Amino acid sequence: MANGLALSTARGGEVFVGSEIRDSLSLLDVLYANQFEGESIDPEDVEQTEETFYRGAPPEWLNFHISEKAESNGTGTSFIKREGYDTLRQQIQNKRRLPGISTVKLFHQPGCGGTTLAMQVLWDLRKTFRCAVLRGSTSDITNVATEVVHLFTAGSQGYQNTVLLLLNDEHIPENLQNSIVEKITEQNIVTRMPVVIFLTCVRKNAVLQSDHVVLRKVLSDTEKQKFNEKKEELSRRYRDKCGQFHGFNIMQTDFSQAYVDQACTVFSTVQRSNKPLKTQLATFLSLLNAYVPGSYLLESQCLDFLQHEDSIHGHLSLEDRMKPFSHLIITFQHDARSGKKVRMAHPMIAQRCTELMGDAGVTRSDTARNFMNCLCRDEVSPCLLGFVKEMLTKREIKVEENPVKGNEVKEDQERFSRLILDIQRKECKAQCASVLKVALKIFTQNPFFPQALARFYYIEIKDYNKAERWAIEAKERDPKNSFVADTLGQVYKNQLKTNEFSTKPREILKLAKKAIEAFKDEERLAENEYGADMAEDGNTRVSNIFNIFGQFGYLQVCNLMYDQLVSQNETWKRVLTNNVSMDSVLGLLGDKKLYRFNGLVSSLRDEVEKKCEFFDKYLTYSKPDMRKDDAPYISRDTSECFKKYVGDSTPKHLKEKWDDLFQRLKEKLSVTSAGVLSCLDRKYTESDLQEITTWWKEIYSSKDTQTSLTNYVLAQIMLNNLGEIFSSDVKSPTEFGQITPPSPQNAPELNMLALLLKWPIDSEDKCVFDLSQSIQHMYSSYEHTYKTQFRSRYLRPLFFIGKGQNLDRIVHRRVLENLFPAQKEAAVVQDVQDLNVYWGSEKIFQDPMIQKRLLQIEGRVRNYRLYAIFGSKEIEVKANLQNSLWKPRQVTFYLGFTIRGPVAFGIQTKIAETGLKQDTRDWTELKPEVNRVGDVQTYSLRSGAGHYKCSVSAVRWFCKGSVSFKYQFTSWDKHMEEPSCVDYIPAGPLLDIKVTAGKLEEVHLPHWICTDDIPTIMDNFRVLHVDTSGHCVEEVSEVTSSHVKILQPVFSPRGAMIRKKLGFPVKVFYDMLIFKTNKASLTLHVYLLPPDPDVQQVICFCHSNNRNHYKM
């Protein structure tokens, strides 16, 4: 790096950035394009780096440089590439063709080389991408986004390049992606390449086959051969040292357990008592690395610990002090800003050493307690606290694959951490509790250790008094955390469930009251939490999701209480549902002291109804993410509770006519807007929906309210959506005209309905509302009503705008799902998980039946925003997939409605409907000013606002103000050799355009392809764009019979192109040039040429220099 640090550019070159880029990116470890180039590296450093890596240390960038250099000079072989390498690299390269932000995932079992593989790919792509590794977590969203964008734009103007970012986090926060888009927008960055590709490297003990790259602890035959060859090379170079290259040897022996057993025999001599400190330290490292992959201790911590026993030999290195365990332990340092780290050479070694210690009587619980007492008594670093917390409290996800249907995966969470489960299996429950008690006494501020202990007591030991004690302790340590508060309610609920106490109603109600109060307190805390502004501090954890388990726990307790009380005495059914007062039936209940619970019992029905209404909305309007649904038990338990307390029982105080109608609607779970909107999901019959519609109409007639009107109209819409065949004569009832315009004060459901009914269906349709203002009102209403509860959840599309009139054009989501599977021949996707995949990828909108049912809306993408176009008006709408908004263009899409507002789905670049489409606008023709310098002619034009065309080149443009530009014709020849152009041929003249003043909104480049009768040919047009970052083939916004249109163009050499291999013949417009000789005999030179002035000028110039020829 003689000239300094350099980053790659999109065109394959490099740009020098200086040290300021390194100093400004504190969260990213950047791999530079010229890393180590021109540097002289000490041979001893080279040898030490290689030895440390082969012994088991994580790789450094220097390892790849050493291997690359050795291969080039013939002194060594290349770095071994695991079989997932090519697939992973190809997946990354494929993402480069997509705009915006993409993710590639690598799943790997601990110790099988996953991190090495990921870094190896980054190293090999450092001259293609701007590669970096995220040092910390993705929680610091704003700063991570700032640094990613800074790395993307670093260097001189026009030298930006895609960032390839490696991180160890499976779930990329949506907020991080949104923050990157915000930064791009704020800085007015225009890009046609991906800003960042996330490469997530995820350690998992159990990995299933998937579309992602998966690396397991098993070698293929080809890999075995490569490792054997490498073994021979290392044996020649390092001789006896190879015996201690455990990291390499374990892989080379195909993860042989026999090799690991042999390497760890030194641990078979460990004694339970009087263990030297070095032995204790070895046991600590083994336990930590066995249960927390990637964990480590700082060398300074280890030396301080050993100092207590060996102060005389303080000058000795850690390796010397740790003999005879030294060969199993590695020390490494990758970042000069952090200390040296110490860990076991391989997770399999750590696991085996832990097992051998257990066989020798040194139990896991003993080691865990000693570890915390010896190394965690003084001030503990956040990193070490994180390791201990993960070791004792992290519950792994169990993944099970459906043996019949391989793509169906069931995920469930273990009850406790792997270490606690192993202690329970191999020792006893008391030892699990003992370990957690030590942790909570040492980490006096951390709420998660007493929380885990409380869970262990109520789940495994069934000691509810102790569970209650530690759950209260956890709450006191973090009194504002609703997720911590949940544990106390769970203690009481499980005690009620097991029913090991007296079954007297008084005891049931006493315990139920405690559980209900705990869950209500959790609900209160959840309402006060807001994820976006909260952060972890190491002791407490927060979530950016809304905690629903306080309300859900309340309903579960009510279910248990109802079942237990009613099973003893049927009178309780009438009491719990408020059909009779408790004091009037105390004699029948057999205990007059029960009246002290009257306040609790009398409130249950209303509270249950309120919470079930919440879950109705929560589950109808939202889901965890685009490809995942909520667990079925939430809906099941909620519905059961509602039916017990509300739906199946009419309260005694009903007086008005509509009260009876409301009760019938409650029985049908359709007393709210969300309930009505769920009718198709619940598979109601036409008869059911007719009843619901009639009841709501009667209520509206009796109680003229916006709520009753909203639900009546929604019920009518749902009834109309019940079948797949729609009648065209369904008219909107006259009451529909009474729907008020959207307002921030209205309910979101009413605002959504108003927009659905009044949304224009074409450019001629006049909307009675101000659409932009109405959408903003809908957003405001949603923010006020639902934003807190639905934060970080995906909002379901409830309706779509379809073809037709009146109610026919309002299409429910379930109708599309019913249409979609019927078209599949190979596989019927009635499975919810399959449907989620099609919704998540938006492939559902590629189905002909779906396209036939929905109305295509025209729009425009500009400045990373989407606008629906109605005549001369542009209305901004949200996009379901953010990556659809990276390219400025004209588009079409389908419009869906969530409870928040309109959302665009299936966004596609707009193309002409047929090859015969003509541009009917009035273009004012201007003659350019011609300036000749040698053989080069430059054409200059200037215009005011309006639509214009050039009389020479046929270029058309639209501008909103005065503009001046110049252009010249140039040759395609040198550009067609570029890799990005090899699949295309020129379809129009290549123009080098430079704007000298003003701004062009649209440019229409001429093409010479005959598009008649071939509508599909429009999909194959592209435009060449050349700038300092290289050649790029871009999609066009629109194609007509004579031009291709690009919006908000960034100028460079520009010209229309078309794919070479179309699968059908294409006609091309050609000009015929004829030259006649001056000789006595008639000789004609005939040229059939495309209407490309650059080509034609060359021919004319050749003949003009020949006096014997003249043009006819």
Side-chain angles (χ1 to χ4, degrees):
M1 295 186 291
N3 295 322
L5 303 172
L7 295 171
S8 63
T9 64
R11 66 185 304 174
E14 296 178 4
V15 57
F16 294 99
V17 292
S19 60
E20 70 277 359
I21 187 75
R22 179 185 58 205
D23 299 335
S24 63
L25 302 179
S26 60
L27 299 175
L28 305 181
D29 175 17
V30 179
L31 170 60
Y32 295 95
N34 61 344
Q35 193 98 359
F36 305 115
E37 290 179 11
E39 288 188 31
S40 178
I41 302 173
D42 190 318
E44 290 186 7
D45 291 340
V46 170
E47 185 172 324
Q48 183 62 44
T49 301
E50 279 205 293
E51 284 187 28
T52 305
F53 169 67
Y54 287 122
R55 286 190 59 211
E60 301 180 45
W61 298 126
L62 183 57
N63 286 112
F64 302 105
H65 172 71
I66 293 169
S67 178
E68 199 174 75
K69 192 172 181 180
E71 183 184 15
S72 65
N73 61 27
T75 60
T77 57
S78 64
F79 223 84
I80 296 175
K81 293 179 173 66
R82 294 288 313 261
E83 291 202 342
Y85 172 90
D86 290 332
T87 304
L88 187 63
R89 181 166 176 167
Q90 187 58 53
Q91 287 185 0
I92 293 170
Q93 293 283 22
N94 291 344
K95 296 294 184 183
R96 196 183 188 194
R97 303 172 187 170
L98 305 175
I101 300 170
S102 303
T103 301
V104 176
K105 292 185 178 181
L106 166 62
F107 292 96
H108 64 100
Q109 293 178 312
C112 71
T115 302
T116 302
L117 172 60
M119 291 182 65
Q120 188 176 11
V121 170
L122 258 66
W123 175 264
D124 290 343
L125 292 176
R126 69 192 185 281
K127 294 185 181 293
T128 304
F129 297 93
R130 294 185 174 176
C131 302
V133 180
L134 182 65
R135 297 180 192 273
S137 72
T138 54
S139 59
D140 191 0
I141 287 172
T142 302
N143 288 329
V144 172
T146 299
E147 293 196 7
V148 167
V149 174
H150 185 27
L151 182 57
F152 172 72
T153 58
S156 305
Q157 182 68 30
Y159 282 89
Q160 54 195 216
N161 194 14
T162 301
V163 175
L164 178 57
L165 183 63
L166 172 62
L167 39 80
N168 296 310
D169 193 341
E170 179 179 0
H171 304 289
I172 311 298
E174 183 180 352
N175 288 345
L176 174 56
Q177 301 189 42
N178 292 340
S179 187
I180 290 173
V181 175
E182 288 175 9
K183 300 294 180 185
I184 291 287
T185 307
E186 286 171 8
Q187 298 177 35
N188 295 317
I189 298 170
V190 178
T191 176
R192 288 164 177 79
M193 68 182 79
V195 173
V196 59
I197 299 172
F198 294 114
L199 172 55
T200 63
C201 190
V202 186
R203 286 192 188 95
K204 283 196 171 184
N205 285 301
V207 291
L208 300 177
Q209 196 62 43
S210 70
D211 293 335
H212 306 294
V213 178
V214 176
L215 209 59
R216 294 184 175 87
K217 287 190 284 190
V218 60
L219 298 181
S220 67
D221 291 340
T222 302
E223 288 173 324
K224 289 176 184 177
Q225 181 179 348
K226 291 179 180 178
F227 271 96
N228 289 337
E229 292 171 356
K230 194 71 173 181
K231 175 75 171 181
E232 294 177 5
E233 176 192 333
L234 295 179
S235 297
R236 290 193 301 270
R237 290 171 55 197
Y238 291 100
R239 301 185 182 280
D240 294 341
K241 287 183 179 180
C242 277
Q244 296 187 2
F245 287 177
H246 297 310
F248 173 83
N249 292 339
I250 288 174
M251 294 186 71
Q252 186 264 330
T253 58
D254 200 8
F255 305 93
S256 165
Q257 189 59 51
Y259 176 89
V260 174
D261 292 344
Q262 179 63 34
C264 298
T265 52
V266 64
F267 268 84
S268 61
T269 61
V270 172
Q271 300 296 319
R272 180 172 184 179
S273 58
N274 300 320
K275 296 189 294 293
L277 291 184
K278 62 182 179 182
T279 303
Q280 293 183 44
L281 181 58
T283 62
F284 297 161
L285 285 168
S286 296
L287 185 78
L288 186 64
N289 293 161
Y291 289 97
V292 186
S295 59
Y296 57 84
L297 294 176
L298 293 177
E299 184 186 52
S300 57
Q301 292 174 313
C302 298
L303 291 173
D304 287 344
F305 175 69
L306 296 175
Q307 190 72 26
H308 299 296
E309 181 180 68
D310 194 17
S311 57
I312 300 176
H313 301 97
H315 63 282
L316 293 178
S317 67
L318 180 64
E319 183 178 354
D320 291 333
R321 291 185 176 199
M322 288 301 295
K323 291 178 180 179
F325 308 106
S326 300
H327 69 100
L328 300 176
I329 297 170
I330 55 169
T331 302
F332 59 96
Q333 181 179 25
H334 287 174
D335 186 353
R337 291 177 285 188
S338 62
K340 291 185 178 181
K341 300 170 183 178
V342 183
R343 75 178 194 192
M344 302 301 287
H346 194 275
M348 290 180 68
I349 287 178
Q351 188 66 42
R352 182 54 182 156
C353 291
T354 302
E355 293 169 356
L356 288 171
M357 289 186 296
D359 295 342
V362 184
T363 63
R364 290 167 174 79
S365 61
D366 282 340
T367 304
R369 284 188 291 266
N370 291 339
F371 171 73
M372 289 184 285
N373 282 319
C374 293
L375 294 179
C376 302
R377 282 293 180 185
D378 298 326
E379 185 176 351
V380 179
S381 67
C383 196
L384 181 56
L385 172 58
F387 293 150
V388 176
K389 179 179 159 188
E390 181 173 341
M391 182 169 67
L392 298 183
T393 69
K394 182 181 179 182
R395 298 160 59 194
E396 303 241 343
I397 300 296
K398 294 187 294 184
V399 181
E400 298 178 5
E401 191 173 58
N402 188 323
V404 178
K405 193 169 186 179
N407 65 335
E408 184 178 294
V409 175
K410 179 184 177 182
E411 292 187 352
D412 195 13
Q413 202 171 20
E414 294 281 8
R415 292 167 300 147
F416 305 98
S417 73
R418 283 199 303 126
L419 175 59
I420 295 300
L421 290 173
D422 279 352
I423 292 174
Q424 182 180 355
R425 282 192 289 264
K426 298 178 183 296
E427 301 176 43
C428 65
K429 295 177 181 178
Q431 294 300 328
C432 298
S434 172
V435 169
L436 291 170
K437 284 180 183 177
V438 171
L440 69 87
K441 288 177 181 177
I442 290 176
F443 303 102
T444 56
Q445 303 299 312
N446 192 291
F448 303 113
F449 299 118
Q451 181 188 37
L453 182 58
R455 291 187 69 258
F456 195 83
Y457 269 120
Y458 82 73
I459 293 173
E460 295 297 335
I461 300 180
K462 310 297 183 186
D463 187 332
Y464 298 104
N465 291 330
K466 289 183 179 178
E468 178 186 31
R469 172 191 171 187
W470 295 118
I472 292 172
E473 170 73 15
K475 274 192 67 175
E476 290 173 349
R477 292 187 179 192
D478 192 0
K480 295 182 178 181
N481 191 321
S482 67
F483 291 92
V484 171
D486 180 69
T487 306
L488 183 60
Q490 296 296 337
V491 170
Y492 297 137
K493 185 193 79 176
N494 277 268
Q495 187 175 359
L496 181 65
K497 188 175 182 179
T498 54
N499 211 6
E500 292 180 358
F501 52 89
S502 170
T503 57
K504 292 181 179 179
R506 195 190 314 170
E507 295 298 327
I508 294 173
L509 288 168
K510 180 180 178 181
L511 190 55
K513 183 179 181 181
K514 293 170 73 174
I516 283 173
E517 288 176 349
F519 284 126
K520 289 180 74 172
D521 182 54
E522 178 185 354
E523 180 183 352
R524 177 186 60 80
L525 292 173
E527 291 287 348
N528 294 329
E529 287 175 339
Y530 199 77
D533 300 325
M534 302 177 72
E536 296 188 20
D537 62 7
N539 290 320
T540 58
R541 177 181 57 192
V542 298
S543 174
N544 64 344
I545 64 172
F546 179 72
N547 182 4
I548 64 169
F549 293 103
Q551 298 183 72
F552 186 65
Y554 184 105
L555 297 179
Q556 287 182 307
V557 170
C558 289
N559 269 331
L560 290 169
M561 180 169 44
Y562 184 96
D563 292 342
Q564 292 182 15
L565 291 174
V566 171
S567 67
Q568 295 185 30
N569 189 332
E570 281 287 323
T571 304
W572 277 108
K573 183 182 293 185
R574 293 186 294 149
V575 174
L576 294 172
T577 57
N578 285 352
N579 278 283
V580 297
S581 62
M582 180 182 280
D583 59 348
S584 66
V585 292
L586 284 175
L588 293 174
L589 297 177
D591 185 354
K592 294 185 178 181
K593 292 184 178 180
L594 289 173
Y595 188 71
R596 63 176 171 152
F597 297 106
N598 183 59
L600 169 68
V601 172
S602 62
S603 69
L604 290 176
R605 180 185 175 111
D606 289 342
E607 284 287 338
V608 166
E609 186 169 357
K610 176 184 173 183
K611 287 172 173 52
C612 287
E613 285 183 6
F614 163 78
F615 279 104
D616 231 4
K617 297 172 183 177
Y618 187 81
L619 299 173
T620 301
Y621 298 156
S622 69
K623 54 193 288 191
D625 59 52
M626 201 179 297
R627 297 172 182 259
K628 184 179 179 182
D629 289 307
D630 289 284
Y633 70 83
I634 297 178
S635 176
R636 182 191 65 232
D637 290 2
T638 300
S639 297
E640 286 180 5
C641 193
F642 186 84
K643 289 179 180 178
K644 289 172 182 174
Y645 284 85
V646 182
D648 292 343
S649 179
T650 305
K652 66 180 186 300
H653 57 269
L654 291 185
K655 298 178 181 179
E656 304 291 343
K657 173 187 176 182
W658 56 76
D659 286 334
D660 179 58
L661 294 175
F662 273 124
Q663 183 57 36
R664 295 184 198 175
L665 287 165
K666 290 175 182 178
E667 292 172 8
K668 293 287 189 181
L669 303 178
S670 300
V671 75
T672 64
S673 297
V676 174
L677 289 169
S678 299
C679 287
L680 294 189
D681 291 325
R682 290 179 176 137
K683 300 182 179 179
Y684 281 8
T685 64
E686 183 178 357
S687 175
D688 292 329
L689 270 167
Q690 285 176 340
E691 286 183 332
I692 292 168
T693 304
T694 301
W695 294 337
W696 273 116
K697 184 175 183 179
E698 291 181 24
I699 291 172
Y700 173 64
S701 299
S702 302
K703 295 179 66 175
D704 183 5
T705 66
Q706 289 292 328
T707 299
S708 58
L709 175 59
T710 300
N711 291 340
Y712 165 45
V713 176
L714 288 175
Q716 184 69 54
I717 292 171
M718 298 301 289
L719 180 60
N720 194 53
N721 271 268
L722 186 60
E724 293 181 8
I725 301 176
F726 296 81
S727 60
S728 59
D729 59 349
V730 178
K731 305 298 183 184
S732 299
T734 56
E735 293 92 339
F736 289 19
Q738 300 177 33
I739 298 289
T740 61
S743 163
Q745 288 73 43
N746 288 349
E749 292 83 356
L750 177 56
N751 285 336
M752 177 184 68
L753 185 57
L755 276 176
L756 273 170
L757 293 172
K758 302 300 182 182
W759 193 272
I761 58 175
D762 56 48
S763 59
E764 304 302 322
D765 194 4
K766 302 296 183 184
C767 183
V768 296
F769 303 155
D770 180 331
L771 280 180
S772 293
Q773 184 182 64
S774 296
I775 292 172
Q776 290 304 316
H777 288 337
M778 193 170 178
Y779 291 164
S780 298
S781 175
Y782 168 84
E783 300 275 318
H784 175 74
T785 309
Y786 294 128
K787 182 180 179 180
T788 299
Q789 292 89 342
F790 297 169
R791 64 178 184 261
S792 295
R793 284 175 65 86
Y794 174 70
L795 298 181
R796 294 175 181 268
L798 303 172
F799 292 106
F800 288 85
I801 298 294
K803 297 173 182 175
Q805 300 294 322
N806 300 316
L807 296 189
D808 262 3
R809 70 182 197 149
I810 302 177
V811 183
H812 190 267
R813 180 197 72 253
R814 176 60 72 175
V815 171
L816 302 185
E817 293 174 350
N818 290 340
L819 285 173
F820 184 57
Q823 308 308 311
K824 305 302 165 191
E825 299 177 359
V828 178
V829 290
Q830 294 174 341
D831 189 293
V832 171
Q833 192 167 9
D834 287 337
L835 274 172
N836 282 336
V837 171
Y838 284 99
W839 275 109
S841 63
E842 293 194 347
K843 287 184 178 179
I844 191 169
F845 298 102
Q846 298 174 13
D847 188 277
M849 291 299 292
I850 305 295
Q851 294 174 349
K852 183 179 179 181
R853 185 69 186 91
L854 297 182
L855 179 70
Q856 270 197 330
I857 307 292
E858 293 192 1
R860 177 177 288 120
V861 175
R862 184 176 67 248
N863 296 331
Y864 310 107
R865 291 183 173 88
L866 174 64
Y867 300 88
I869 300 175
F870 299 100
S872 60
K873 291 185 177 180
E874 292 186 348
I875 310 299
E876 184 177 355
V877 294
K878 301 294 182 183
N880 183 52
L881 296 180
Q882 187 69 36
N883 273 358
S884 302
L885 305 183
W886 288 89
K887 291 183 178 181
R889 56 197 166 126
Q890 284 190 309
V891 295
T892 59
F893 57 86
Y894 304 107
L895 193 66
F897 282 79
T898 70
I899 197 60
R900 182 175 185 266
V903 177
F905 292 80
I907 299 173
Q908 296 291 326
T909 299
K910 179 185 174 184
I911 58 174
E913 293 180 4
T914 71
L916 299 175
K917 180 175 178 180
Q918 299 291 329
D919 193 329
T920 59
R921 282 176 287 191
D922 185 19
W923 299 91
T924 303
E925 186 171 281
L926 297 180
K927 185 176 181 180
E929 177 184 327
V930 182
N931 181 35
R932 180 185 293 274
V933 178
D935 297 332
V936 178
Q937 288 189 142
T938 302
Y939 302 85
S940 301
L941 291 145
R942 58 178 63 143
S943 71
H947 295 78
Y948 299 91
K949 64 179 179 180
C950 175
S951 61
V952 174
S953 63
V955 168
R956 297 171 178 175
W957 69 95
F958 164 64
C959 52
K960 295 180 179 179
S962 297
V963 68
S964 300
F965 67 93
K966 58 184 179 180
Y967 70 86
Q968 62 187 46
F969 297 100
T970 186
S971 172
W972 280 99
D973 294 345
K974 64 179 181 180
H975 302 290
M976 300 314 296
E977 298 175 358
E978 293 292 329
S980 56
C981 301
V982 294
D983 294 328
Y984 298 87
I985 58 174
L990 185 61
L991 299 138
D992 192 355
I993 304 173
K994 292 182 174 62
V995 176
T996 54
K999 179 182 179 183
L1000 295 175
E1001 299 295 327
E1002 300 176 6
V1003 167
H1004 301 245
L1005 300 173
H1007 70 76
W1008 52 58
I1009 304 297
C1010 178
T1011 59
D1012 292 357
D1013 304 322
I1014 314 177
T1016 56
I1017 199 173
M1018 303 304 180
D1019 296 329
N1020 296 284
F1021 276 95
R1022 296 292 186 270
V1023 168
L1024 176 65
H1025 172 56
V1026 185
D1027 60 17
T1028 53
S1029 61
H1031 288 66
C1032 178
V1033 177
E1034 300 176 353
E1035 292 184 1
V1036 298
S1037 298
E1038 183 180 300
V1039 180
T1040 68
S1041 57
S1042 59
H1043 287 76
V1044 296
K1045 181 170 77 173
I1046 50 178
L1047 297 174
Q1048 295 182 309
V1050 176
F1051 284 110
S1052 68
R1054 289 278 196 170
M1057 310 175 75
I1058 196 166
R1059 291 187 186 277
K1060 286 181 180 177
K1061 299 177 181 179
L1062 296 174
F1064 49 82
V1066 175
K1067 298 176 184 178
V1068 180
F1069 292 107
Y1070 273 74
D1071 291 340
M1072 181 181 291
L1073 299 187
I1074 303 176
F1075 294 87
K1076 179 184 176 184
T1077 65
N1078 286 326
K1079 298 178 182 179
S1081 59
L1082 177 63
T1083 303
L1084 299 179
H1085 290 230
V1086 181
Y1087 295 87
L1088 199 60
L1089 300 172
D1092 185 344
D1094 180 69
V1095 176
Q1096 294 186 10
Q1097 285 174 6
V1098 172
I1099 299 298
C1100 290
F1101 178 76
C1102 292
H1103 284 281
S1104 66
N1105 289 338
N1106 189 331
R1107 296 179 181 179
N1108 295 321
H1109 297 96
Y1110 63 92
K1111 187 176 180 182
M1112 295 182 65

